[in-house]
Amino acid sequence: MFNHPLMFIWLPLLLLSGCQPQQPSSSEQELKQSMAEIKLQLIQMEKQIKEIHEIATASTTPKAKELPPLADLDNQGKLPSLGQSEAPIVIVEFSDFQCPYCKRFLDLSFPKLKQQYIDTGKVRYLVRNFPLSFHANAESAAIAAACAGKQDSYWPMREQLFANITRLNPELYLSSAKQQDLQLPDFEACLDDPATKASVMADLQYGQQYGVTGTPSFIIGRVSNNQMQTPKLLVGAHPYEAFSAILDKLQQDN
């Protein structure tokens, strides 16, 4: 087979082809061109993704109304409170126990908000009652929560009331008080005390003074000497990301 007459022609060509530097073939040039185009497309895609991210981030930052400074944020220490008292940022929630949007916020946004900001000492969380007139049982539920608070059980009662948002009534308040081992005579006396209702109405008036009209509403801002500086009013059951955007901005502005 090595004596084929064409072998003497093919062999030098093969040896020559193997020894010389390879010249880019047309297919290699096309591949390089395709790679360059793909690289350009990736750069453009990266830019588009960045723009989409910026738009998405901006969309999670809700519009909040600026308010004048707030004094005596915790009503001389009488408001239900979570977090460290010296936390630099305060959130004041205005809530209605018969409001489905308040429950939605409590179920979906509040747990992570508590975990990431309140429990870590970054934010102090206060609550004021804001029973809406068209919710027949909101006021009585607010009174029950306030009475539980006088026995250091506001937060368990709050959870119990929101868990039973469709059946708020005196029987529920008493059964919840029993579950929390409250002193029932003191609890019942508090329910009937006009001063308890007056404190609930004072919360309502405080919110109205700063433009609160619905629930849930939140006043958020940095605090100095128990006064909130440049507070913002945020209305609605926003997702956790909306709150974190505002809180992170407040931290950065420090």
Side-chain angles (χ1 to χ4, degrees):
M1 63 178 291
F2 293 101
N3 293 326
H4 195 284
L6 293 178
M7 181 61 67
F8 297 99
I9 299 174
W10 291 345
L11 187 57
L13 290 175
L14 288 171
L15 291 174
L16 182 61
S17 175
C19 292
Q20 284 193 342
Q22 293 185 343
Q23 298 295 326
S25 65
S26 60
S27 60
E28 291 174 333
Q29 290 177 345
E30 291 174 357
L31 178 61
K32 288 183 178 180
Q33 183 176 357
S34 297
M35 292 296 291
E37 292 175 354
I38 291 173
K39 184 177 180 181
L40 180 61
Q41 290 175 359
L42 288 173
I43 293 173
Q44 293 174 341
M45 288 176 62
E46 183 179 2
K47 182 179 179 182
Q48 291 174 350
I49 291 172
K50 183 178 180 181
E51 291 175 349
I52 291 171
H53 175 73
E54 290 175 351
I55 293 172
T57 302
S59 67
T60 62
T61 305
K63 293 182 179 179
K65 179 182 178 182
E66 293 190 4
L67 300 175
L70 273 68
D72 190 21
L73 293 178
D74 59 4
N75 191 20
Q76 299 179 355
K78 297 177 183 177
L79 294 185
S81 175
L82 288 176
Q84 297 181 8
S85 59
E86 64 272 17
I89 299 172
V90 168
I91 297 176
V92 182
E93 174 194 343
F94 294 84
S95 189
D96 175 314
F97 284 105
Q98 209 173 345
C99 168
Y101 299 102
C102 296
K103 178 172 171 53
R104 178 182 177 184
F105 162 78
L106 183 66
D107 292 342
L108 301 181
S109 302
F110 183 74
K112 192 171 182 180
L113 187 65
K114 182 176 182 296
Q115 179 187 40
Q116 297 295 325
Y117 292 94
I118 300 170
D119 293 345
T120 56
K122 298 176 182 177
V123 169
R124 185 183 182 199
Y125 199 87
L126 305 173
V127 177
R128 285 185 179 269
N129 295 294
F130 202 86
L132 299 170
S133 59
F134 53 86
H135 286 158
N137 301 315
E139 182 182 306
S140 65
I143 290 173
C147 290
K150 290 189 176 181
Q151 298 189 45
D152 298 324
S153 291
Y154 171 83
W155 298 101
M157 179 64 81
R158 167 185 164 97
E159 184 176 349
Q160 189 76 5
L161 295 177
F162 272 121
N164 295 276
I165 190 172
T166 60
R167 61 184 195 94
L168 299 174
N169 57 55
E171 290 76 19
L172 175 67
Y173 309 150
L174 288 176
S175 65
S176 298
K178 290 178 182 178
Q179 290 178 23
Q180 296 165 32
D181 294 325
L182 301 185
Q183 296 294 324
L184 292 184
D186 293 341
F187 181 77
E188 291 178 302
C190 178
L191 293 178
D192 295 331
D193 188 348
T196 311
K197 178 177 179 178
S199 69
V200 170
M201 292 299 101
D203 279 351
L204 182 70
Q205 293 168 4
Y206 184 94
Q208 292 172 337
Q209 177 184 351
Y210 289 100
V212 175
T213 57
T215 56
S217 289
F218 308 86
I219 297 180
I220 307 172
R222 295 192 64 84
V223 175
S224 176
N225 297 323
N226 203 31
Q227 184 179 63
M228 187 182 292
Q229 309 296 332
T230 61
K232 296 182 183 299
L233 174 62
L234 178 65
V235 181
H238 294 280
Y240 162 80
E241 290 76 14
F243 290 91
S244 64
I246 292 175
L247 296 173
D248 290 347
K249 180 67 165 55
L250 285 171
Q251 288 181 311
Q252 293 170 4
D253 291 344
N254 184 23

